[in-house]
Amino acid sequence: MKPSKKILIIGGVAGGASATARLRRLDEHAEIVLLERGNEISYANCGLPYYIGGEIANKSALLLQTPEAFRRRYHVDVRVGHQVMSINRTDKIVTVKNLQSGDEYAESYDKLILSPGAEPLHPDGFESERIFTLRNVPDTLRIREFIDTHKPKNAVVVGGGYIGLEMAENLHRAGLGVTIVQRADHVLAPLDFDTACDVHRHIESKGVRLLLDNTVQAVVEKDGRLEITVKDGEQLVAEMMILAIGVRPDGSLAKQAGLQVNARGAIVVTENMLTSDPDIYAVGDAVEIVEFVAKQKDFIPLAGPANKQGRIAADHICGIDSKYTGTQGSAILRVFDMTVATTGLNERAIQDVGIDYEKSFTWSASHASYYPGAVNMAIKTLFEKPTGKILGVQITGYDGVDKRCDVIATAIRAGMSVFDLTRLELCYAPPYSSAKDPVNMAGFAAENILTGKVKTFHWHDIESLRQEQNIIFLDVRTQMEYDNGSIDGFVNIPLDDLRSRLGEIDKSKRIYVTCQIGVRGYAAARILTQNGFDAYNLSGGYRLYHSIFGPKTSVTRPSIPAASEIKVSGKALVIDACGLQCPGPIVKLSAAINSVGDGDIIEITTTDPAFCSDIEGFCRRTGNQLLETNSHKGMLIAKIRKGTKHLETTNEPVHHGKNFILFSGDLDKAIAAFIMANASAALGRKTSIFFTFWGLNLLRKPKKVRVSKDFLARMFGWMMPRGSTRLPLSKMNMGGMGAKLIRYIMKRKNIDSLEDLIASAQSQGVELIACSMSMDVMGIKPEELIDGVQLGGAAAMLAHAEESDMTLFI
Ligand code: FAD
């Protein structure tokens, strides 16, 4: 039988393979030719990083279809290793090159579908066999082979998008030390900065270094390593680099054929996926789409849309009027054991299109908190004012994040509002959800705002509110929570005491309330409002604020002895605080500590992420010793030894340490201190440098860090040198000329710069301790310090002095 029509498809993966299969199902008599320049079709791009990390063990698992199986199943002429070089629209033929033989031939078509995808950006100056991009199976095999043969110890991943983070995780899993360099102030562009802060903390807690607000300026390959200079001046050394800085739609064939493409090079299509030629369709990563919520033209390369568009193009060719109604950017990612999901618009996109909107932050358990294993998720809901139409959502957490994001993605498709979310009846039994599902809770919080039950303020309002006279900041958490950490300037009246202490609050002032996650703050705001106060609740509460402004985990973690150093004598008490919200775990721990003897060990398991920072503060304050913390899938396990009297080790310690106290902020003195510290570390001596007052300046990051500060602290910050590169000389500084001269001479004489000395000291294990009291006085926040610095007080310094046979004050 003569074929009904001849259809060529260019590109045999997501969009192309999907179109091909649908075409055959709809038209048994069409002649279908699938042209793919690679050697595989229909492979799992999305699984490629997991093969590199070893989680997907067999390469064959990545190949969803072999050309032969596809040919057999769909009776399609599949030609792999065949690249389409050009399209002649007048004669309706394409020129194809057989990449194996080099021969070129013409192939005619009645209908043509383009699904050429998008190509990774690879700027000039990044050429080396140690630099990789990841798009397809050959790229994957190249990376894997490099790791297997060269056994690199470390890697730099440039770009903190989906592919960058997946690669970082998988390289880490493959045993490499990983640094991510990300241009923006946060990873994952579809998220907002505030939501991404949880992700930053999680990535760093796994030992991956994250350089935000930074870019790679230059890469030089030298002695089998890459020397990478980043924008803030630091030089990284790595054995391999992954470039994951984004993709560009591959509209080259279309452009060459005179089809309409946009400024970005993406092919312009109709709702039926037709290009500007009535016989040519285009689908997938190569096309311009309409963003579903704001109805703006956009470029959102994702596998789901590509597959659906392939199906729509096939339908239209076969006479079915299927339409593509837009991409809403529903995406999900596993970041180590955390899950991050998003759908719809983020805040920046909403502001760009000028929609009047509000947002709420909720914090809900994945299932009934009394049923074992409940873990919390943070939901940021963005909605239009006053309609409540859902504009977007971002969720970070562990179990159940995917389910909630999918429910809200569906609600967005259906044009639903946050009021509708309060009415959704979702499946509930304790192991799966709560009677009020996290989706309902997001709806309730948003509804309370829109109906005026509560006025809210946000984390980014606090700085400007501080400048106002007529306000009171009120923290309604318990005394214990408040003592463990609070926002500067907030006074504490626990919620349960609030009614009886209303008389202490000045009614002529506006009251800005916070609690841990926003729930008790809401209750407090209701009490206050109904008693004639003008009250506002901090959305997301202290938890969110701390996630954004709190010190990095790696900076504040106390020096916890290695597990092998922990000498457990006495009984260990195991307590389960899973599902309890703050302050539940701390209260339970406190009771447990009271029930055991000095020196006993308590092991507590909790699902409250705030516990990680709470426990450190709690142990510091109460004189108990934090021995160990581990986290997995949202569960945090901490071991604590009761009492200030730590058990003696069996061997008498030998005191050969060297203890430096760097008070000066002068370049020459700092160089001298670091030269001695490096020498001491090289001799195998335990070495520490305690930075106090002006000495703190050389620990400051060279770039401004977004932190909340009062006026005086900001002024101090402006006046003091930001980081080691800006230190003056103690003598003959000559407005900075002297310092430059010294640096020049040192370079000429091949002497390490101060920055090299600091890096070398850190890599040799020299402990850098910033004096927390001086930091407080000078208004320096932990986030402003370079990575790897611990905070400590005079006690920490004295402890080091006692373990040393030399203390030098510089
Ligand atoms: P592709 O799947 O890229 O296919 C295009 C094909 O066309 C290529 O095989 C190419 O060789 C071929 N081709 C191009 N030009 C020619 C020519 N002239 N002649 C012949 N053949 C040609 N998306 C998600 O939604 N979730 C994820 O988790 C996810 N993870 C990803 C992980 C990685 C590492 C990568 C690279 C992508 C990931 N994506 C993910 C994106 C997703 O893979 C793409 O959105 C999707 O594959 C796009 O489909 P497509 O058909 O447009 O292009």
Side-chain angles (χ1 to χ4, degrees):
M1 182 189 279
K2 191 175 175 305
S4 55
K5 49 185 146 342
K6 181 173 177 185
I7 307 156
L8 300 189
I9 297 113
I10 304 176
V13 191
S18 167
T20 308
R22 177 76 171 170
L23 277 170
R24 175 54 77 223
R25 287 189 208 104
L26 294 177
D27 188 346
E28 187 58 19
H29 306 297
E31 181 184 351
I32 305 174
V33 183
L34 177 58
L35 298 159
E36 166 57 54
R37 72 177 164 207
N39 290 325
E40 295 86 15
I41 58 158
S42 196
Y43 57 84
N45 323 42
C46 312
L48 301 178
Y50 301 96
Y51 176 72
I52 293 169
E55 207 170 336
I56 296 178
N58 293 319
K59 180 188 143 192
S60 58
L62 299 171
L63 306 175
L64 306 178
Q65 277 280 8
T66 61
E68 295 68 36
F70 203 77
R71 207 173 279 138
R72 267 200 313 276
R73 171 70 49 90
Y74 295 107
H75 184 48
V76 167
D77 182 356
V78 181
R79 298 183 202 164
V80 290
H82 286 241
Q83 178 169 2
V84 176
M85 309 304 288
S86 61
I87 304 168
N88 175 345
R89 289 166 52 203
T90 319
D91 300 332
K92 294 180 66 170
I93 52 171
V94 298
T95 307
V96 187
K97 182 172 185 176
N98 179 334
L99 296 178
Q100 205 175 9
S101 66
D103 297 341
E104 289 200 4
Y105 59 94
E107 194 70 55
S108 65
Y109 66 83
D110 294 317
K111 299 286 176 189
L112 178 64
I113 301 180
L114 309 177
S115 187
E119 50 194 2
L121 299 175
H122 195 144
D124 293 341
F126 286 78
E127 284 82 25
S128 156
E129 59 162 21
R130 294 175 178 273
I131 301 181
F132 304 88
T133 55
L134 177 62
R135 178 184 182 182
N136 49 32
V137 174
D139 293 343
T140 311
L141 299 182
R142 250 193 309 276
I143 297 174
R144 181 73 186 260
E145 195 192 319
F146 183 87
I147 295 173
D148 290 344
T149 350
H150 293 81
K151 313 239 173 315
K153 285 190 266 321
N154 47 30
V156 164
V157 175
V158 189
Y162 290 107
I163 295 178
L165 294 198
E166 285 180 350
M167 279 311 300
E169 174 181 342
N170 279 288
L171 291 174
H172 182 271
R173 188 187 162 94
L176 283 80
V178 180
T179 300
I180 301 171
V181 181
Q182 160 75 337
R183 181 192 295 271
D185 64 357
H186 68 280
V187 297
L188 299 172
L191 299 185
D192 291 314
F193 170 77
D194 41 24
T195 313
C197 286
D198 278 337
V199 186
H200 299 163
R201 285 174 175 278
H202 194 68
I203 291 172
E204 287 174 330
S205 77
K206 299 293 173 186
V208 170
R209 195 167 171 226
L210 193 52
L211 300 181
L212 297 170
D213 264 328
N214 228 321
T215 51
V216 172
Q217 305 285 78
V219 191
V220 180
E221 187 172 352
K222 216 165 127 191
D223 306 329
R225 303 178 324 169
L226 298 169
E227 291 183 357
I228 302 154
T229 310
V230 295
K231 196 176 76 188
D232 71 7
E234 190 180 343
Q235 193 164 76
L236 310 171
V237 176
E239 290 173 59
M240 67 184 290
M241 175 192 273
I242 305 288
L243 271 182
I245 53 176
V247 294
R248 174 192 304 122
D250 189 350
S252 51
L253 261 185
K255 191 173 175 193
Q256 187 193 50
L259 298 173
Q260 194 187 344
V261 296
N262 68 13
R264 202 171 182 166
I267 308 168
V268 176
V269 289
T270 65
E271 305 171 295
N272 302 118
M273 308 315 296
L274 255 182
T275 65
S276 49
D277 182 317
D279 293 315
I280 305 181
Y281 294 76
V283 301
D285 285 2
V287 306
E288 175 186 84
I289 51 85
V290 172
E291 191 286 319
F292 180 77
V293 179
K295 309 290 181 215
Q296 304 284 311
K297 301 270 169 65
D298 211 333
F299 171 64
I300 306 179
L302 287 169
N307 276 279
K308 292 181 187 81
Q309 292 162 7
R311 194 171 193 272
I312 289 167
D315 279 359
H316 201 253
I317 289 173
C318 297
I320 302 169
D321 189 23
S322 299
K323 290 191 167 82
Y324 189 66
T325 52
T327 301
Q328 70 189 72
S330 299
I332 190 159
L333 177 73
R334 192 192 70 188
V335 184
F336 293 93
D337 45 347
M338 176 184 253
T339 303
V340 183
T342 176
T343 183
L345 299 179
N346 64 16
E347 226 176 315
R348 199 185 52 250
I350 294 171
Q351 288 163 359
D352 285 349
V353 289
I355 300 173
D356 190 13
Y357 76 102
E358 188 43 279
K359 60 192 169 202
S360 69
F361 297 90
T362 45
W363 178 249
S364 310
S366 54
H367 60 247
S369 53
Y370 58 82
Y371 185 84
V375 281
N376 287 308
M377 67 185 80
I379 305 185
K380 175 176 183 176
T381 312
L382 294 147
F383 46 95
E384 188 181 50
K385 279 198 306 192
T387 61
K389 179 182 167 191
I390 311 161
L391 302 172
V393 73
Q394 297 158 38
I395 313 183
T396 55
Y398 300 88
D399 281 353
V401 167
D402 52 347
K403 174 163 85 164
R404 275 52 184 230
C405 198
D406 280 346
V407 169
I408 298 181
T410 311
I412 290 178
R413 273 283 149 170
M416 287 163 69
S417 71
V418 288
F419 304 109
D420 294 314
L421 295 187
T422 67
R423 292 186 281 266
L424 286 184
E425 187 182 309
L426 301 169
C427 303
Y428 162 61
Y432 300 101
S433 181
S434 300
K436 290 181 200 154
D437 187 87
V439 171
N440 299 135
M441 294 304 291
F444 294 140
E447 182 193 56
N448 285 336
I449 297 169
L450 286 175
T451 54
K453 306 266 183 324
V454 66
K455 292 189 277 193
T456 49
F457 68 112
H458 294 288
W459 59 270
H460 46 77
D461 297 324
I462 293 178
E463 187 58 37
S464 55
L465 285 170
R466 285 211 172 94
Q467 318 305 325
E468 296 191 23
Q469 303 297 321
N470 203 30
I471 62 158
I472 293 173
F473 283 135
L474 182 65
D475 187 329
V476 295
R477 294 175 301 156
T478 62
Q479 173 87 43
M480 185 191 284
E481 289 171 273
Y482 178 78
D483 287 347
N484 270 338
S486 63
I487 307 174
D488 279 357
F490 276 70
V491 294
N492 181 225
I493 300 182
L495 176 64
D496 292 344
D497 301 343
L498 185 61
R499 286 187 185 84
S500 61
R501 293 177 60 184
L502 285 176
E504 295 173 29
I505 307 171
D506 183 348
K507 225 177 208 163
S508 70
K509 297 194 171 179
R510 281 176 284 136
I511 319 296
Y512 287 86
V513 184
T514 189
C515 65
Q516 184 66 17
I517 58 169
V519 175
R520 281 173 287 169
Y522 164 58
R526 292 295 302 155
I527 294 172
L528 289 164
T529 310
Q530 293 179 67
N531 280 282
F533 292 87
D534 186 12
Y536 300 77
N537 182 34
L538 178 63
S539 189
Y542 176 75
R543 190 211 77 83
L544 178 66
Y545 185 89
H546 186 265
S547 162
I548 296 166
F549 293 116
K552 281 192 198 174
T553 326
S554 58
V555 174
T556 52
R557 194 172 288 283
S559 38
I560 298 171
S564 58
E565 293 170 32
I566 302 170
K567 191 164 154 264
V568 180
S569 89
K571 56 187 173 180
L573 178 65
V574 177
I575 50 174
D576 180 2
C578 290
L580 292 181
Q581 302 249 0
C582 183
I586 284 284
V587 170
K588 210 162 173 179
L589 174 64
S590 183
I593 285 176
N594 290 337
S595 71
V596 298
D598 210 29
D600 286 346
I601 307 278
I602 294 158
E603 182 183 299
I604 178 167
T605 306
T606 164
T607 48
D608 175 14
F611 186 77
C612 192
S613 43
D614 285 356
I615 182 69
E616 290 171 5
F618 174 84
C619 288
R620 260 200 316 274
R621 261 186 340 98
T622 52
N624 296 292
Q625 189 189 11
L626 178 58
L627 299 174
E628 192 180 56
T629 56
N630 286 307
S631 70
H632 181 65
K633 278 208 141 207
M635 300 250 187
L636 187 96
I637 302 152
K639 280 196 183 134
I640 298 106
R641 179 166 15 221
K642 175 172 177 169
T644 48
K645 194 162 58 73
H646 300 147
L647 302 180
E648 298 293 319
T649 51
T650 42
N651 297 330
E652 266 303 301
V654 184
H655 301 311
H656 279 326
K658 307 284 176 248
N659 184 32
F660 296 85
I661 301 171
L662 191 57
F663 174 84
S664 164
D666 295 329
L667 175 67
D668 38 356
K669 293 179 186 171
I671 291 171
F674 270 94
I675 288 176
M676 287 186 279
N678 271 299
S680 156
L683 286 174
R685 302 292 184 241
K686 188 168 185 284
T687 310
S688 56
I689 312 181
F690 185 77
F691 297 82
T692 183
F693 282 93
W694 314 116
L696 285 170
N697 287 327
L698 89 145
L699 295 183
R700 294 176 73 196
K701 285 180 184 152
K703 265 196 75 185
K704 194 171 185 322
V705 177
R706 192 199 302 220
V707 282
S708 148
K709 283 191 180 188
D710 61 24
F711 177 69
L712 275 177
R714 274 212 309 271
M715 224 172 63
F716 241 122
W718 291 328
M719 292 186 312
M720 293 185 303
R722 187 179 287 136
S724 58
T725 53
R726 306 208 185 142
L727 300 185
L729 269 190
S730 64
K731 292 195 172 34
M732 299 195 310
N733 188 46
M734 298 178 297
M737 280 299 294
K740 282 206 177 92
L741 197 64
I742 283 280
R743 282 182 180 274
Y744 171 72
I745 295 169
M746 285 172 68
K747 192 167 178 190
R748 252 192 31 194
K749 294 190 179 287
N750 226 359
I751 301 172
D752 277 349
S753 67
L754 175 57
E755 293 67 46
D756 293 335
L757 289 167
I758 296 173
S760 154
Q762 286 191 299
S763 67
Q764 289 202 81
V766 173
E767 283 185 57
L768 308 183
I769 306 159
C771 169
S772 47
M773 184 279 295
S774 323
M775 284 176 64
D776 198 26
V777 171
M778 298 170 80
I780 298 176
K781 304 280 175 182
E783 319 59 318
E784 293 181 87
L785 302 183
I786 58 172
D787 289 344
V789 176
Q790 299 168 35
L791 304 194
M797 188 276 291
L798 288 170
H800 280 281
E802 281 181 11
E803 288 165 11
S804 304
D805 56 5
M806 182 198 91
T807 293
L808 196 56
F809 186 92
I810 300 170

